Amino acid sequence: MIRFGEWLPDQPPLDNPGVTIATNVIPAAKGYRSVKNFVDFSNAASGRLRGVFSAKDTAGNSFLFAGDNAKLYRYSDSDKDLDDVSKSGSPAYDLGNSGTSTGDERWRFVQFGSTVIAAGGIGEELQKWTLGSDSTFSNLAGTPPKADFVAVVRDQVWTANIDEGAGRKPFRVRWSAINDETSWTVGTNQADFQDIFGGDSGAITGLVGGQQATILMERGIAVAYYVGSPLIYQIDLVETSRGCPYPNSIASVGNNVFYLSRDGFFMFDGRGSKPIGAEKVDDFFNKDFNSAKIDKCSCAVDPINQIVAWSYVSNDNVSDTPDKVIVYNYAIGRWSLIELTTELLAPIQTTSVTMDALDTQAANLDALSGTLDSTTFKGGTFFFGGSANNKIKAFSGTALAGTIETPEVSVNKGRHSVVTKTVPYFKDGSVTIQVGTRDRQDEVVSFGSASSLLADGYCLHRDQGRFHRFRMNISGTWDFAQGVDVEGAALGRR
């Protein structure tokens, strides 16, 4: 059997140790799993969503927030609407049009105790929502800085790449007092700031919280450790060979931070960066993505499938909306590609939907965007989603039709051969097999017609060539694709 190994588009097709195509699938240890379609979870907002965030209060109630360039919203599970919960003003916000901001600004959210804090870039005041009591967002008290990035580090709220009213400070991090997101007076209860200039690392492009702060910059990465007064945090520049010039390409799992650099995809583990795309997908990605529209990129983690995904605008796309998602399974170190239009990727925690409220989700049960046992209807359940067409979306629809293509092989080494039969190995769904052939390595591969699976479990072919490759097209309610067996015979010399 030719097993479906890891997707290695950067390697030549002949005797490639993996597969040359793995589209609309998720990597598994011994093959590929299906990926669900991107379906509506909410009704539409007024504009393109620039952030989606889930929170949970102490009673276990789930909240789902989102924001576009002018409004902040709360999702209503009773009617699927995104209710405007912006602070007063018209417009309440103006992301990307403040005169002091650049690029495609996003809403970035954190939860600090019972408070949700939203940063909309250096043109917007930090916003707060107290779970269980607030009905609209409002400016966070205590005169915090405006900021591109926000995170929770230990017992303090951190901001980075900030504007304190006296001008933008792209190299500065500033944090609140201990256990008080409304106290920002420097020197009070360990509230402080620090500028990071070492090694000409450039502006701060990302901030990841936890027990320590990971600070990503254009040409470096720093780590901040809590040491107490008087220094409070010790900030060490631990990565100087590369950084992250793309602010929307960052996501984290535990202590590992995934990001896109100019020379490919990397994972930072707190001490240094490890390449995860080199000789695998980096060359493919650099040729495929439209670097002029990298600000449209987004990145998020799906903890259920143990993947991190980056959406991007490909060179084949004439619009500004990302049309592809490149996926990395961080548990097994394998990649795949999803062809899908999405404006934003985000992990989402659902609000609960009762049986009585299902009639607000669709006209009837058959019209539901997911099945009744889908995680999208279970309150407090995390699922992978994002946004498109101004709506929150979820990967909870029917399975996308997948395509997996083996490396190029010589059925009878050095001989002109004919492939007569293939046996695909998969679970559920419908499969067809196409055989690609050529006689010389400088020829274009010619694919025959798709052959359907017969009742006896094999596909019939009559495809001649010196080199062959095999493309599985799998659709319907499929679950897993593992590989293909091939039968063929050498032909006489001519």
Side-chain angles (χ1 to χ4, degrees):
M1 179 173 64
I2 302 176
R3 296 184 181 277
F4 291 152
E6 63 176 313
W7 180 46
L8 298 172
D10 289 0
Q11 297 301 309
L14 182 64
D15 293 332
N16 186 309
V19 297
T20 55
I21 293 176
T23 303
N24 292 342
V25 294
I26 294 176
K30 293 186 177 181
Y32 293 87
R33 300 188 183 278
S34 62
V35 58
K36 301 295 181 66
N37 203 356
F38 208 39
V39 296
D40 291 352
F41 183 76
S42 77
N43 296 324
S46 300
R48 178 174 61 85
L49 296 181
R50 301 189 179 206
V52 179
F53 182 75
S54 301
K56 184 180 288 189
D57 64 18
T58 55
N61 300 308
S62 297
F63 299 78
L64 183 56
F65 300 99
D68 60 21
N69 67 307
K71 299 176 182 177
L72 285 169
Y73 303 92
R74 179 185 173 185
Y75 172 78
S76 169
D77 56 28
S78 64
D79 56 12
K80 299 177 65 175
D81 281 349
L82 293 176
D83 296 332
D84 184 359
V85 291
S86 307
K87 70 177 182 180
S88 60
S90 183
Y93 314 105
D94 199 12
L95 271 67
N97 296 304
S98 64
T100 57
S101 59
T102 58
D104 186 45
E105 291 202 326
R106 306 284 174 91
W107 284 106
R108 293 179 170 88
F109 299 83
V110 296
Q111 182 175 347
F112 187 69
S114 296
T115 302
V116 172
I117 300 172
I122 62 167
E124 304 294 337
E125 302 285 346
L126 289 187
Q127 297 297 290
K128 73 91 180 175
W129 175 291
T130 302
L131 299 173
S133 61
D134 281 349
S135 57
T136 60
F137 277 91
S138 58
N139 292 347
L140 180 63
T143 62
K146 301 174 183 178
D148 279 343
F149 308 105
V150 62
V152 175
V153 183
R154 294 173 63 90
D155 300 319
Q156 294 166 285
V157 177
W158 273 54
T159 58
N161 199 327
I162 65 175
D163 187 332
E164 296 185 285
R168 184 165 189 165
K169 296 176 175 60
F171 315 105
R172 178 167 293 183
V173 292
R174 185 174 172 189
W175 54 88
S176 72
I178 291 178
N179 289 321
D180 190 351
E181 73 277 15
T182 66
S183 176
W184 293 83
T185 302
V186 173
T188 300
N189 199 15
Q190 300 192 3
D192 209 343
F193 72 91
Q194 188 163 332
D195 294 320
I196 306 173
F197 297 113
D200 189 28
S201 297
I204 295 171
T205 56
L207 180 65
V208 178
Q211 285 299 107
Q212 62 190 39
T214 301
I215 307 157
L216 294 99
M217 292 165 285
E218 294 172 296
R219 295 177 294 278
I221 301 176
V223 177
Y225 306 93
Y226 180 79
V227 294
S229 297
L231 190 59
I232 306 173
Y233 283 92
Q234 177 179 321
I235 300 179
D236 298 330
L237 191 63
V238 297
E239 181 78 64
T240 57
S241 59
R242 66 180 50 82
C244 176
Y246 310 119
N248 300 322
S249 73
I250 302 165
S252 63
V253 178
N255 293 324
N256 295 323
V257 179
F258 300 91
Y259 68 95
L260 176 63
S261 188
R262 286 190 174 90
D263 53 345
F265 293 96
F266 289 85
M267 181 188 74
F268 178 76
D269 63 3
R271 299 177 298 276
S273 293
K274 169 187 174 183
I276 58 175
E279 293 297 318
K280 295 185 177 184
V281 301
D282 282 350
D283 186 54
F284 163 84
F285 180 79
N286 287 332
K287 292 176 181 176
D288 194 46
F289 95 105
N290 187 333
S291 58
K293 299 177 181 178
I294 190 61
D295 59 340
K296 303 298 182 183
C297 168
S298 67
C299 179
V301 167
D302 176 2
I304 304 300
N305 289 301
Q306 296 181 298
I307 61 172
V308 55
W310 290 262
S311 66
Y312 66 96
V313 180
S314 74
N315 283 319
D316 295 331
N317 189 9
V318 297
S319 78
D320 289 337
T321 303
D323 59 316
K324 292 184 180 180
V325 179
I326 192 166
V327 173
Y328 178 67
N329 186 317
Y330 53 82
I332 60 175
R334 293 187 174 187
W335 294 83
S336 67
L337 187 72
I338 302 173
E339 294 181 342
L340 185 77
T341 298
T342 171
E343 296 164 353
L344 187 75
L345 295 175
I348 297 172
Q349 182 174 294
T350 64
T351 58
S352 60
V353 179
T354 64
M355 291 297 293
D356 291 339
L358 282 175
D359 61 350
T360 68
Q361 306 291 309
N364 53 59
L365 291 180
D366 291 335
L368 287 173
S369 59
T371 60
L372 280 176
D373 60 353
S374 169
T375 56
T376 58
F377 301 123
K378 300 175 184 177
T381 300
F382 277 98
F383 67 92
F384 196 39
S387 68
N389 300 320
N390 302 350
K391 301 177 181 179
I392 298 176
K393 298 246 183 177
F395 286 93
S396 60
T398 57
L400 294 173
T403 302
I404 308 166
E405 188 176 297
T406 72
E408 193 167 77
V409 298
S410 180
V411 176
N412 290 278
K413 200 166 184 66
R415 301 286 300 276
H416 194 83
S417 304
V418 58
V419 170
T420 58
K421 183 186 295 185
T422 58
V423 180
Y425 296 93
F426 65 101
K427 181 181 178 183
D428 298 331
S430 300
V431 161
T432 63
I433 299 291
Q434 291 175 272
V435 181
T437 62
R438 60 179 171 176
D439 290 331
R440 295 168 25 149
Q441 287 292 293
D442 58 351
E443 291 180 341
V444 175
V445 177
S446 175
F447 276 91
S449 300
S451 179
S452 299
L453 192 66
L454 300 179
D456 289 334
Y458 58 83
C459 302
L460 290 177
H461 309 275
R462 192 76 182 172
D463 296 282
Q464 300 182 23
R466 183 165 281 107
F467 305 101
H468 295 79
R469 59 182 72 179
F470 306 91
R471 179 181 294 170
M472 178 186 286
N473 306 297
I474 184 166
S475 59
T477 309
W478 72 278
D479 181 61
F480 198 87
Q482 188 173 2
V484 60
D485 262 336
V486 177
E487 288 187 17
L491 297 176
R493 297 181 180 274
R494 288 186 290 176

